[in-house]
Each structure stands twice: as structure tokens, then as C-alpha cells.
């Protein structure tokens, strides 16, 4: 972890984010919707800073009309060029585009790593999960009494994103829907056995949204 991204700076990032929202006349919920994430997840991203989910911060920068370095480090990208020995600085704020539903499923592929966010008995919970895609649903394994098990708390959010190491382009997919245990014997027979005391859970999306991210480059 570098000094400029130390945990103490996350409060500064959150303040910078709030100030920019006020300048634009946007509410937190509006910014979250435009960035393709829930307000709960937005707050988590600001709380944990760039080491938690850089692509999410890149999307927020695009919503705010800022360059990534302006949001994270409080300086325009051109002033950060000296810290980028492997390439030119971005030429402006990242550009946010939308992905269609079919494109979102294509990005997910058949399996991978994502995040589940939901409200548990003790408040918001965000955890990484390995997932499988089955007939336009998302399957993952968790402990039967774990924070990501089906239960009270309403719908869960499932997010997958990818970005290149220089944050020059990427994409993000967000799916929201209810959770339930997988109980079909035929399907369970096809799935890898979960860990001891674990069970397979299925998220059936009622909402599927995606964002693409692109930053222009100076020649």
C-alpha cells in the first residue's frame, strides 16, 4: 500500500466525493444508480478506498466528471504522470457506457469471482464469492448459517467487474434479486460438493445492469 492510498485518506476521498456531489446537485442514490451500484456498496467503496475495488472508484469518478486521480489523490492525472513510468496519463475523465442484458451475461461467462452484498442481522455485508452461472441465475456456496445465506434482509446484490492494471478500461455488471437454497437433486448432483456444513445458494436476478469504462489516452 502506498502512502497516498493509506487508510487515513479514505475519509478524504469520501469528503471529496460528497463535495463534488453538492457541486453537481446530485444525491447519493442518483450517483450510485448512474455508477451501477447500490448505495450500500457505494458507501463501502468510499470507506475502504482504492485497494478494495478500484473499478468501482473509476465508475464513480466517471459519474462525477473527474479523472480517477482527482477523486483518489485530489490531483489531475497530468500531474500524476511522473508516477506512471509505463505509459501516458489519461487525457480526461473516464467515459461511462451501458451494457445490454445479453452483454452482461456474456461478461460473467460460466464462472468466476464476484461479490455479494446484502443486509444481514448486523448491518450491510459485502463478501467475495466464487460463482457459477446456471440458466441465467448465479450460484455460490456459503455456510448454512453464514452472512450470505438466504434469510431476512431483502434482495441481495451480486457484482462482477474487471479493469486493466492501469485503470484505462474495464466493465462492471450488477445483478439484484432474491436468494434461495438450491434444492433440486439433479442440479446438486452436477455441482461440486460444498465445504462441510456449506450449501449452494442461487440468486435469481430481477434487475441486470452493466457499465463499460473507457479513458482516452494522450499520444
Amino acid at each position: 500500500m502506498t502512502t497516498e492510498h493509506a487508510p487515513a485518506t479514505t475519509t478524504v476521498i469520501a469528503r471529496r466525493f460528497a463535495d463534488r456531489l453538492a457541486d453537481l446537485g446530485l444525491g447519493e442514490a442518483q450517483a450510485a444508480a448512474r455508477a451501477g451500484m447500490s448505495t450500500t456498496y457505494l458507501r463501502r467503496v468510499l470507506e475502504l478506498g482504492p485497494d478494495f475495488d478500484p473499478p468501482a472508484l473509476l465508475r464513480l469518478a466517471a459519474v462525477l466528471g473527474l479523472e480517477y486521480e482527482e477523486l483518489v489523490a485530489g490531483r489531475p492525472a497530468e500531474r500524476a504522470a511522473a508516477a506512471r513510468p509505463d505509459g501516458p496519463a489519461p487525457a480526461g475523465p473516464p467515459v461511462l457506457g451501458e451494457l445490454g442484458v445479453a452483454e452482461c451475461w456474456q461478461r460473467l461467462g460460466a464462472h468466476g469471482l464476484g461479490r455479494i452484498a446484502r443486509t444481514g442481522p448486523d448491518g450491510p455485508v459485502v463478501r467475495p464469492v466464487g460463482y457459477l452461472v446456471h440458466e441465467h441465475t448465479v450460484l455460490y456456496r456459503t455456510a448454512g448459517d453464514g452472512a450470505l445465506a438466504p434469510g431476512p434482509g431483502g434482495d441481495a446484490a451480486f457484482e462482477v467487474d474487471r479493469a486493466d492494471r492501469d485503470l484505462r478500461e474495464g466493465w462492471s455488471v450488477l445483478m439484484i434479486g432474491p436468494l434461495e437454497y438450491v434444492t433440486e437433486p439433479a442440479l446438486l448432483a452436477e455441482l461440486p460438493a460444498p465445504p462441510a456444513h456449506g450449501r449452494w445458494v442461487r440468486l435469481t436476478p430481477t434487475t441486470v445492469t452493466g457499465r463499460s469504462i473507457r479513458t482516452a489516452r494522450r499520444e
Side-chain angles (χ1 to χ4, degrees):
M1 182 182 298
T2 62
T3 301
E4 69 176 13
H5 288 171
T9 66
T10 59
T11 300
V12 178
I13 294 173
R15 186 182 306 118
R16 193 175 294 130
F17 175 81
D19 290 344
R20 183 63 174 171
L21 280 187
D23 290 342
L24 297 174
L26 287 177
E28 183 184 58
Q30 290 174 297
R34 293 184 185 185
M37 65 182 74
S38 67
T39 54
T40 297
Y41 194 75
L42 182 153
R43 292 167 187 165
R44 190 70 168 165
V45 169
L46 294 177
E47 174 190 351
L48 296 180
D51 291 319
F52 172 62
D53 190 350
L57 277 173
L58 186 62
R59 298 202 308 277
L60 291 176
V63 169
L64 299 177
L66 298 175
E67 300 175 21
Y68 179 81
E69 287 83 357
E70 285 184 284
L71 177 59
V72 173
R75 62 176 188 250
E78 54 265 33
R79 276 190 257 162
R84 291 174 171 268
D86 54 345
V95 179
L96 207 59
E98 293 192 8
L99 300 175
V101 172
E103 291 178 292
C104 290
W105 286 107
Q106 289 171 1
R107 294 295 200 283
L108 259 61
H111 58 85
L113 293 175
R115 296 181 182 87
I116 291 285
R118 69 188 306 258
T119 302
D122 299 321
V125 176
V126 181
R127 299 279 174 81
V129 295
Y131 69 86
L132 298 175
V133 171
H134 175 74
E135 296 181 352
H136 282 193
T137 67
V138 175
L139 311 181
Y140 65 91
R141 292 173 289 187
T142 190
D145 57 352
L148 301 186
D155 289 352
F158 171 70
E159 184 191 39
V160 177
D161 51 41
R162 300 289 184 269
D164 71 12
R165 70 184 182 87
D166 296 316
L167 302 175
R168 294 170 185 168
E169 63 180 12
W171 56 266
S172 174
V173 169
L174 176 68
M175 300 183 173
I176 298 174
L179 301 176
E180 63 179 351
Y181 286 117
V182 176
T183 58
E184 301 91 326
L187 177 55
L188 288 171
E190 297 177 7
L191 297 172
H197 309 297
R199 297 186 64 176
W200 279 98
V201 176
R202 172 167 45 217
L203 182 145
T204 303
T206 55
T207 301
V208 177
T209 57
R211 301 290 187 275
S212 62
I213 311 165
R214 176 179 55 82
T215 52
R217 308 296 297 177
R218 287 194 177 89
E219 299 296 335

